Amino acid sequence: MNPIAGTDIALLAVLGALLALDQDAGLGLQLSQPLVAGALAGLLLGRFEAGVAGGALIQMIWIVTQPVGGARIPDLALGGVCAVAALPSGATLGTWLQNDELAVAGVLGVLAAFGGGALLRLQRRIQSRLASRATKGALRGETGAVAALQRDAIVLHLLRGGASTALVAVLAPVAAAWALELGLRLPVGGAGLGLASVALLRATPRLRLPWLLLGALLGVVLGVA
Amino acid sequence: MERPPLAVFWRTCMLDASWHPERMQGGGYLYALLPALARAEDPAAATRHHTVTFGTNIYVAPAVIGAVAQLELQGERGAATRVRDWLAAPLSGAADLFYWGALRPALMASALVGVVFGSPALAVAAAWLLFNITATWGRWRCFRRGVAASARLLQERERVRPPRSWIVPLHRIVLIAAVALPVLAIVRARFAAASLLDMGLALGVGYYAARRQVSPGIAFLVLVALGVLMQRLELPTGWNR
């Protein structure tokens, strides 16, 4: 497993900073969906197919999420980028569902996503403190305090996203090499697809047989084609 | 009649930045309104009045914020408060169902079908573009209609609510993709035992996890642990290759 070069880590950190804004600051362009984030990370690292494979696995695990109110959503963008960093540079989409190196990438991606979620909750606790000062200012009619709160929060998002992405870009290849040496090799593509199917079926209120049959037919036709 | 400056709309695109448990999007809401409140009769009083807890879906928030900004410019603070307090929650419920419950899963599931089929670049780009065309157009449309309707927005909320007629077709796409994904993978893998066995196990663990509201990430880690255990015990599964 080759470590990622310093310039690539810097590029990934910039990407991670932007993904944090997209995911947690309300930009909402969905660049931070693991499939898209993985593809972008793959493009930056010059291994698009590995990027899509890693991102697709994390996307399959968390394909339906509801970021409403204070819901504890993991950092899916960080999970996607971590999975890409953990995959070997030669990984291709040809047989990726059967690739037994995907398990390590998936496990590290899931752990990074949980870790990133915890970091976001920590940031929001910091923002609570900043906001109490800004609220006092706003109640005195000072608009500068509100603008400062927003500016500080955006800087915190950029720093958190950039730093956490750089950290996983450094650690993921090392951890993946270590886990593969220990023998963690499983073709988990089917497991990801199974989880995605359950989540998607539960996301729809009524299971209509004709549409399920149409899906099965589409799967067979595309699979044979 | 004076209209809210365009900066109000752009600032709604960072609504969640200062999210925190006490006032949720309250900081982002007030920050978005500032360019309009600066032109109100008494900016300090207006700022105090809108220092509140606020929470809604980011894609329909421009409707509420646009209407509130317009009403503040007209000096109708009472109507602005009613729009803010009465509209944010119902619009949020409808938009969450549409964007998070239907549009995003349908497009991401379609993209995954494309990836498994072997057209990753096209699939990812098409899904991302379709979502953003819908969401960005929806945000801008909400802002324009919010400003135009102002106090009437309470009666005309249907005009800014995401299209409910889209939800059923989107759910059909989700259903089709939910079945097409594993079938496509199995057919392409020439019915490999590995696919069938770990997918079958994942369906069982995933269903149980979903019923118990366990995180899918935890379910995945459990599946990997089960796979490792089966390998160690040399059980006859697809994972023992």
Short mmCIF file of all heavy atoms in Angstrom, two decimals, chain B residues 51-106:
data_model
loop_
_atom_site.label_atom_id
_atom_site.label_comp_id
_atom_site.label_asym_id
_atom_site.label_seq_id
_atom_site.Cartn_x
_atom_site.Cartn_y
_atom_site.Cartn_z
N THR B 51 -33.62 37.62 16.89
CA THR B 51 -32.64 36.77 17.60
C THR B 51 -33.44 35.65 18.26
O THR B 51 -33.84 35.75 19.42
CB THR B 51 -31.85 37.60 18.63
OG1 THR B 51 -31.27 38.71 17.96
CG2 THR B 51 -30.75 36.77 19.27
N VAL B 52 -33.67 34.59 17.50
CA VAL B 52 -34.59 33.53 17.94
C VAL B 52 -34.04 32.16 17.56
O VAL B 52 -33.06 32.05 16.82
CB VAL B 52 -35.98 33.69 17.26
CG1 VAL B 52 -36.71 34.90 17.79
CG2 VAL B 52 -35.83 33.75 15.75
N THR B 53 -34.74 31.12 18.04
CA THR B 53 -34.46 29.76 17.58
C THR B 53 -35.14 29.59 16.23
O THR B 53 -36.28 30.01 16.05
CB THR B 53 -35.03 28.74 18.58
OG1 THR B 53 -34.40 28.96 19.83
CG2 THR B 53 -34.77 27.31 18.13
N PHE B 54 -34.44 28.98 15.29
CA PHE B 54 -35.01 28.80 13.95
C PHE B 54 -34.53 27.47 13.40
O PHE B 54 -33.37 27.09 13.59
CB PHE B 54 -34.56 29.95 13.04
CG PHE B 54 -35.16 29.93 11.66
CD1 PHE B 54 -36.45 30.41 11.45
CD2 PHE B 54 -34.45 29.43 10.57
CE1 PHE B 54 -37.01 30.39 10.17
CE2 PHE B 54 -35.01 29.41 9.30
CZ PHE B 54 -36.28 29.90 9.11
N GLY B 55 -35.40 26.76 12.74
CA GLY B 55 -35.00 25.48 12.15
C GLY B 55 -35.93 25.09 11.02
O GLY B 55 -37.14 25.01 11.21
N THR B 56 -35.37 24.90 9.84
CA THR B 56 -36.18 24.43 8.72
C THR B 56 -35.25 23.75 7.71
O THR B 56 -34.03 23.73 7.89
CB THR B 56 -36.97 25.59 8.07
OG1 THR B 56 -37.94 25.05 7.18
CG2 THR B 56 -36.08 26.54 7.30
N ASN B 57 -35.83 23.18 6.67
CA ASN B 57 -35.03 22.54 5.64
C ASN B 57 -34.29 23.62 4.83
O ASN B 57 -34.88 24.65 4.51
CB ASN B 57 -35.96 21.72 4.73
CG ASN B 57 -35.22 20.99 3.64
OD1 ASN B 57 -34.78 21.59 2.67
ND2 ASN B 57 -35.08 19.69 3.79
N ILE B 58 -33.01 23.37 4.52
CA ILE B 58 -32.21 24.42 3.89
C ILE B 58 -32.73 24.80 2.50
O ILE B 58 -32.48 25.92 2.05
CB ILE B 58 -30.72 24.00 3.77
CG1 ILE B 58 -30.56 22.66 3.06
CG2 ILE B 58 -30.06 23.98 5.14
CD1 ILE B 58 -29.11 22.30 2.75
N TYR B 59 -33.45 23.90 1.83
CA TYR B 59 -33.88 24.20 0.46
C TYR B 59 -35.16 25.04 0.41
O TYR B 59 -35.46 25.64 -0.62
CB TYR B 59 -34.05 22.91 -0.34
CG TYR B 59 -32.76 22.12 -0.45
CD1 TYR B 59 -32.60 20.91 0.20
CD2 TYR B 59 -31.68 22.62 -1.16
CE1 TYR B 59 -31.41 20.20 0.13
CE2 TYR B 59 -30.49 21.93 -1.24
CZ TYR B 59 -30.36 20.72 -0.59
OH TYR B 59 -29.17 20.04 -0.66
N VAL B 60 -35.95 25.06 1.50
CA VAL B 60 -37.15 25.90 1.51
C VAL B 60 -36.98 27.13 2.42
O VAL B 60 -37.84 28.01 2.42
CB VAL B 60 -38.41 25.12 1.93
CG1 VAL B 60 -38.84 24.16 0.86
CG2 VAL B 60 -38.21 24.40 3.25
N ALA B 61 -35.86 27.16 3.16
CA ALA B 61 -35.62 28.31 4.05
C ALA B 61 -35.68 29.65 3.31
O ALA B 61 -36.20 30.63 3.86
CB ALA B 61 -34.27 28.15 4.74
N PRO B 62 -35.17 29.75 2.03
CA PRO B 62 -35.23 31.05 1.36
C PRO B 62 -36.65 31.61 1.24
O PRO B 62 -36.81 32.84 1.19
CB PRO B 62 -34.63 30.76 -0.02
CG PRO B 62 -33.71 29.62 0.20
CD PRO B 62 -34.39 28.77 1.24
N ALA B 63 -37.66 30.75 1.20
CA ALA B 63 -39.04 31.25 1.12
C ALA B 63 -39.40 32.03 2.38
O ALA B 63 -39.90 33.16 2.33
CB ALA B 63 -40.01 30.09 0.91
N VAL B 64 -39.13 31.42 3.53
CA VAL B 64 -39.46 32.05 4.81
C VAL B 64 -38.62 33.32 5.00
O VAL B 64 -39.14 34.39 5.33
CB VAL B 64 -39.21 31.06 5.98
CG1 VAL B 64 -39.54 31.72 7.31
CG2 VAL B 64 -40.02 29.80 5.80
N ILE B 65 -37.31 33.19 4.73
CA ILE B 65 -36.41 34.33 4.96
C ILE B 65 -36.72 35.47 3.98
O ILE B 65 -36.71 36.65 4.36
CB ILE B 65 -34.94 33.85 4.86
CG1 ILE B 65 -34.65 32.91 6.05
CG2 ILE B 65 -33.97 35.03 4.87
CD1 ILE B 65 -33.30 32.24 6.02
N GLY B 66 -37.02 35.11 2.73
CA GLY B 66 -37.40 36.15 1.74
C GLY B 66 -38.65 36.90 2.17
O GLY B 66 -38.71 38.14 2.10
N ALA B 67 -39.65 36.16 2.64
CA ALA B 67 -40.90 36.80 3.06
C ALA B 67 -40.68 37.68 4.29
O ALA B 67 -41.18 38.81 4.36
CB ALA B 67 -41.95 35.73 3.36
N VAL B 68 -39.90 37.16 5.26
CA VAL B 68 -39.63 37.94 6.48
C VAL B 68 -38.87 39.21 6.13
O VAL B 68 -39.19 40.31 6.62
CB VAL B 68 -38.83 37.08 7.51
CG1 VAL B 68 -38.31 37.94 8.65
CG2 VAL B 68 -39.71 35.96 8.06
N ALA B 69 -37.86 39.10 5.24
CA ALA B 69 -37.07 40.27 4.83
C ALA B 69 -37.97 41.32 4.17
O ALA B 69 -37.89 42.51 4.47
CB ALA B 69 -35.96 39.83 3.87
N GLN B 70 -38.86 40.86 3.28
CA GLN B 70 -39.77 41.78 2.60
C GLN B 70 -40.68 42.48 3.61
O GLN B 70 -40.90 43.70 3.54
CB GLN B 70 -40.59 41.01 1.57
CG GLN B 70 -41.56 41.86 0.77
CD GLN B 70 -40.83 42.89 -0.09
OE1 GLN B 70 -39.89 42.55 -0.81
NE2 GLN B 70 -41.24 44.15 -0.01
N LEU B 71 -41.21 41.72 4.55
CA LEU B 71 -42.14 42.30 5.54
C LEU B 71 -41.42 43.29 6.46
O LEU B 71 -41.99 44.31 6.85
CB LEU B 71 -42.80 41.18 6.35
CG LEU B 71 -43.83 40.38 5.55
CD1 LEU B 71 -44.19 39.08 6.25
CD2 LEU B 71 -45.09 41.23 5.33
N GLU B 72 -40.17 42.99 6.79
CA GLU B 72 -39.41 43.94 7.62
C GLU B 72 -39.19 45.25 6.86
O GLU B 72 -39.26 46.33 7.45
CB GLU B 72 -38.06 43.32 8.04
CG GLU B 72 -38.14 42.39 9.23
CD GLU B 72 -38.48 43.12 10.54
OE1 GLU B 72 -38.34 44.35 10.59
OE2 GLU B 72 -38.90 42.45 11.49
N LEU B 73 -38.91 45.14 5.56
CA LEU B 73 -38.72 46.36 4.77
C LEU B 73 -40.02 47.17 4.68
O LEU B 73 -40.00 48.39 4.54
CB LEU B 73 -38.24 46.00 3.35
CG LEU B 73 -36.80 45.49 3.26
CD1 LEU B 73 -36.45 45.05 1.85
CD2 LEU B 73 -35.82 46.57 3.71
N GLN B 74 -41.15 46.48 4.77
CA GLN B 74 -42.46 47.17 4.73
C GLN B 74 -42.88 47.65 6.12
O GLN B 74 -43.94 48.25 6.26
CB GLN B 74 -43.53 46.22 4.18
CG GLN B 74 -43.35 45.86 2.71
CD GLN B 74 -44.25 44.73 2.27
OE1 GLN B 74 -45.09 44.25 3.02
NE2 GLN B 74 -44.07 44.28 1.04
N GLY B 75 -42.08 47.29 7.14
CA GLY B 75 -42.41 47.71 8.50
C GLY B 75 -43.51 46.88 9.14
O GLY B 75 -44.14 47.31 10.11
N GLU B 76 -43.77 45.70 8.61
CA GLU B 76 -44.84 44.84 9.16
C GLU B 76 -44.21 43.73 10.01
O GLU B 76 -44.16 42.57 9.60
CB GLU B 76 -45.68 44.25 8.03
CG GLU B 76 -46.39 45.31 7.21
CD GLU B 76 -47.17 44.70 6.05
OE1 GLU B 76 -47.72 43.60 6.24
OE2 GLU B 76 -47.20 45.31 4.98
N ARG B 77 -43.77 44.08 11.18
CA ARG B 77 -43.03 43.11 12.01
C ARG B 77 -43.93 42.00 12.54
O ARG B 77 -43.51 40.85 12.65
CB ARG B 77 -42.34 43.84 13.17
CG ARG B 77 -41.43 42.94 13.96
CD ARG B 77 -40.33 43.70 14.64
NE ARG B 77 -39.51 44.42 13.70
CZ ARG B 77 -38.90 45.56 13.98
NH1 ARG B 77 -39.02 46.09 15.16
NH2 ARG B 77 -38.15 46.14 13.07
N GLY B 78 -45.16 42.33 12.85
CA GLY B 78 -46.09 41.31 13.35
C GLY B 78 -46.31 40.21 12.32
O GLY B 78 -46.25 39.01 12.64
N ALA B 79 -46.53 40.62 11.06
CA ALA B 79 -46.73 39.64 9.99
C ALA B 79 -45.45 38.83 9.77
O ALA B 79 -45.51 37.61 9.53
CB ALA B 79 -47.14 40.36 8.71
N ALA B 80 -44.29 39.51 9.87
CA ALA B 80 -43.01 38.80 9.70
C ALA B 80 -42.86 37.71 10.75
O ALA B 80 -42.43 36.59 10.47
CB ALA B 80 -41.85 39.79 9.79
N THR B 81 -43.26 38.03 11.99
CA THR B 81 -43.15 37.04 13.08
C THR B 81 -44.07 35.86 12.81
O THR B 81 -43.69 34.70 13.03
CB THR B 81 -43.54 37.71 14.41
OG1 THR B 81 -42.76 38.88 14.55
CG2 THR B 81 -43.29 36.78 15.58
N ARG B 82 -45.28 36.15 12.33
CA ARG B 82 -46.23 35.04 12.05
C ARG B 82 -45.68 34.13 10.96
O ARG B 82 -45.74 32.91 11.07
CB ARG B 82 -47.60 35.61 11.65
CG ARG B 82 -48.43 36.08 12.83
CD ARG B 82 -49.88 36.28 12.43
NE ARG B 82 -50.04 37.36 11.46
CZ ARG B 82 -50.05 38.67 11.78
NH1 ARG B 82 -49.92 39.03 13.05
NH2 ARG B 82 -50.20 39.59 10.85
N VAL B 83 -45.16 34.72 9.89
CA VAL B 83 -44.60 33.91 8.79
C VAL B 83 -43.46 33.04 9.33
O VAL B 83 -43.39 31.84 9.07
CB VAL B 83 -44.09 34.82 7.64
CG1 VAL B 83 -43.23 34.03 6.66
CG2 VAL B 83 -45.27 35.43 6.90
N ARG B 84 -42.57 33.66 10.10
CA ARG B 84 -41.41 32.94 10.65
C ARG B 84 -41.84 31.77 11.54
O ARG B 84 -41.37 30.65 11.40
CB ARG B 84 -40.55 33.91 11.45
CG ARG B 84 -39.31 33.32 12.07
CD ARG B 84 -38.69 34.30 13.04
NE ARG B 84 -39.49 34.39 14.27
CZ ARG B 84 -39.41 35.40 15.13
NH1 ARG B 84 -38.62 36.42 14.89
NH2 ARG B 84 -40.15 35.41 16.23
N ASP B 85 -42.79 32.05 12.45
CA ASP B 85 -43.15 31.04 13.46
C ASP B 85 -44.12 29.99 12.94
O ASP B 85 -44.14 28.87 13.44
CB ASP B 85 -43.74 31.73 14.70
CG ASP B 85 -42.70 32.59 15.41
OD1 ASP B 85 -41.50 32.45 15.07
OD2 ASP B 85 -43.07 33.40 16.27
N TRP B 86 -44.95 30.35 11.99
CA TRP B 86 -45.99 29.42 11.55
C TRP B 86 -45.61 28.62 10.31
O TRP B 86 -46.25 27.62 10.00
CB TRP B 86 -47.31 30.16 11.27
CG TRP B 86 -47.93 30.74 12.52
CD1 TRP B 86 -47.48 30.62 13.79
CD2 TRP B 86 -49.11 31.56 12.59
NE1 TRP B 86 -48.29 31.29 14.66
CE2 TRP B 86 -49.31 31.88 13.94
CE3 TRP B 86 -50.01 32.03 11.64
CZ2 TRP B 86 -50.37 32.66 14.39
CZ3 TRP B 86 -51.07 32.81 12.07
CH2 TRP B 86 -51.25 33.13 13.43
N LEU B 87 -44.61 29.09 9.58
CA LEU B 87 -44.36 28.46 8.28
C LEU B 87 -43.12 27.54 8.27
O LEU B 87 -43.09 26.57 7.50
CB LEU B 87 -44.18 29.56 7.22
CG LEU B 87 -44.67 29.23 5.82
CD1 LEU B 87 -46.09 28.72 5.85
CD2 LEU B 87 -44.57 30.46 4.94
N ALA B 88 -42.14 27.85 9.12
CA ALA B 88 -40.86 27.12 9.04
C ALA B 88 -41.07 25.61 9.24
O ALA B 88 -40.57 24.80 8.45
CB ALA B 88 -39.88 27.66 10.08
N ALA B 89 -41.82 25.23 10.27
CA ALA B 89 -41.95 23.79 10.58
C ALA B 89 -42.73 23.02 9.51
O ALA B 89 -42.26 21.97 9.05
CB ALA B 89 -42.57 23.62 11.96
N PRO B 90 -43.93 23.50 9.10
CA PRO B 90 -44.66 22.73 8.08
C PRO B 90 -43.90 22.61 6.76
O PRO B 90 -43.91 21.55 6.14
CB PRO B 90 -45.97 23.49 7.87
CG PRO B 90 -46.00 24.60 8.82
CD PRO B 90 -44.73 24.64 9.58
N LEU B 91 -43.23 23.70 6.35
CA LEU B 91 -42.47 23.62 5.10
C LEU B 91 -41.30 22.65 5.24
O LEU B 91 -40.99 21.91 4.32
CB LEU B 91 -41.91 25.00 4.73
CG LEU B 91 -42.84 25.95 3.98
CD1 LEU B 91 -42.09 27.22 3.62
CD2 LEU B 91 -43.40 25.31 2.73
N SER B 92 -40.70 22.65 6.42
CA SER B 92 -39.57 21.77 6.66
C SER B 92 -39.99 20.30 6.55
O SER B 92 -39.28 19.49 5.94
CB SER B 92 -38.99 22.04 8.04
OG SER B 92 -37.86 21.24 8.26
N GLY B 93 -41.15 19.97 7.13
CA GLY B 93 -41.63 18.59 7.07
C GLY B 93 -41.79 18.12 5.63
O GLY B 93 -41.34 17.03 5.25
N ALA B 94 -42.42 18.98 4.80
CA ALA B 94 -42.65 18.61 3.40
C ALA B 94 -41.33 18.50 2.64
O ALA B 94 -41.14 17.58 1.84
CB ALA B 94 -43.55 19.66 2.74
N ALA B 95 -40.40 19.43 2.91
CA ALA B 95 -39.14 19.44 2.16
C ALA B 95 -38.23 18.28 2.58
O ALA B 95 -37.54 17.71 1.75
CB ALA B 95 -38.43 20.77 2.35
N ASP B 96 -38.24 17.94 3.87
CA ASP B 96 -37.43 16.79 4.33
C ASP B 96 -37.88 15.53 3.62
O ASP B 96 -37.07 14.72 3.17
CB ASP B 96 -37.55 16.61 5.84
CG ASP B 96 -36.81 17.68 6.62
OD1 ASP B 96 -35.95 18.35 6.03
OD2 ASP B 96 -37.10 17.85 7.82
N LEU B 97 -39.20 15.36 3.54
CA LEU B 97 -39.76 14.18 2.87
C LEU B 97 -39.34 14.14 1.40
O LEU B 97 -38.98 13.09 0.87
CB LEU B 97 -41.30 14.21 2.98
CG LEU B 97 -42.05 13.01 2.42
CD1 LEU B 97 -41.76 11.78 3.26
CD2 LEU B 97 -43.54 13.29 2.39
N PHE B 98 -39.37 15.31 0.77
CA PHE B 98 -39.06 15.36 -0.66
C PHE B 98 -37.57 15.19 -0.94
O PHE B 98 -37.17 14.31 -1.70
CB PHE B 98 -39.56 16.70 -1.25
CG PHE B 98 -39.22 16.87 -2.70
CD1 PHE B 98 -39.94 16.17 -3.67
CD2 PHE B 98 -38.19 17.70 -3.12
CE1 PHE B 98 -39.63 16.31 -5.02
CE2 PHE B 98 -37.87 17.84 -4.45
CZ PHE B 98 -38.60 17.15 -5.41
N TYR B 99 -36.74 16.05 -0.29
CA TYR B 99 -35.32 16.04 -0.62
C TYR B 99 -34.57 14.86 0.00
O TYR B 99 -33.82 14.18 -0.68
CB TYR B 99 -34.65 17.36 -0.18
CG TYR B 99 -35.03 18.52 -1.07
CD1 TYR B 99 -35.93 19.49 -0.65
CD2 TYR B 99 -34.50 18.62 -2.35
CE1 TYR B 99 -36.28 20.54 -1.48
CE2 TYR B 99 -34.84 19.67 -3.19
CZ TYR B 99 -35.73 20.63 -2.74
OH TYR B 99 -36.09 21.67 -3.57
N TRP B 100 -34.77 14.64 1.31
CA TRP B 100 -33.98 13.58 1.98
C TRP B 100 -34.64 12.22 1.82
O TRP B 100 -33.95 11.19 1.84
CB TRP B 100 -33.81 13.88 3.47
CG TRP B 100 -33.26 15.22 3.83
CD1 TRP B 100 -33.68 16.00 4.87
CD2 TRP B 100 -32.21 15.97 3.21
NE1 TRP B 100 -32.97 17.17 4.92
CE2 TRP B 100 -32.06 17.18 3.92
CE3 TRP B 100 -31.38 15.74 2.10
CZ2 TRP B 100 -31.12 18.15 3.56
CZ3 TRP B 100 -30.45 16.70 1.75
CH2 TRP B 100 -30.32 17.88 2.48
N GLY B 101 -35.97 12.18 1.75
CA GLY B 101 -36.68 10.89 1.73
C GLY B 101 -36.96 10.36 0.34
O GLY B 101 -37.25 9.18 0.18
N ALA B 102 -36.90 11.23 -0.69
CA ALA B 102 -37.27 10.76 -2.03
C ALA B 102 -36.21 11.11 -3.08
O ALA B 102 -35.64 10.22 -3.71
CB ALA B 102 -38.62 11.35 -2.43
N LEU B 103 -35.94 12.42 -3.26
CA LEU B 103 -35.07 12.81 -4.38
C LEU B 103 -33.63 12.28 -4.24
O LEU B 103 -33.10 11.66 -5.16
CB LEU B 103 -35.05 14.35 -4.51
CG LEU B 103 -34.27 14.90 -5.70
CD1 LEU B 103 -34.91 14.49 -7.01
CD2 LEU B 103 -34.16 16.43 -5.64
N ARG B 104 -33.02 12.53 -3.07
CA ARG B 104 -31.62 12.11 -2.92
C ARG B 104 -31.46 10.59 -2.95
O ARG B 104 -30.59 10.10 -3.69
CB ARG B 104 -31.01 12.71 -1.64
CG ARG B 104 -29.51 12.54 -1.58
CD ARG B 104 -28.88 13.35 -0.48
NE ARG B 104 -29.20 12.83 0.84
CZ ARG B 104 -28.72 13.35 1.97
NH1 ARG B 104 -27.96 14.42 1.93
NH2 ARG B 104 -29.03 12.83 3.13
N PRO B 105 -32.28 9.82 -2.19
CA PRO B 105 -32.12 8.35 -2.30
C PRO B 105 -32.36 7.85 -3.72
O PRO B 105 -31.63 6.95 -4.19
CB PRO B 105 -33.18 7.80 -1.34
CG PRO B 105 -33.50 8.90 -0.42
CD PRO B 105 -33.28 10.17 -1.17
N ALA B 106 -33.35 8.41 -4.43
CA ALA B 106 -33.65 7.93 -5.79
C ALA B 106 -32.46 8.19 -6.71
O ALA B 106 -32.06 7.31 -7.48
CB ALA B 106 -34.90 8.63 -6.33
#
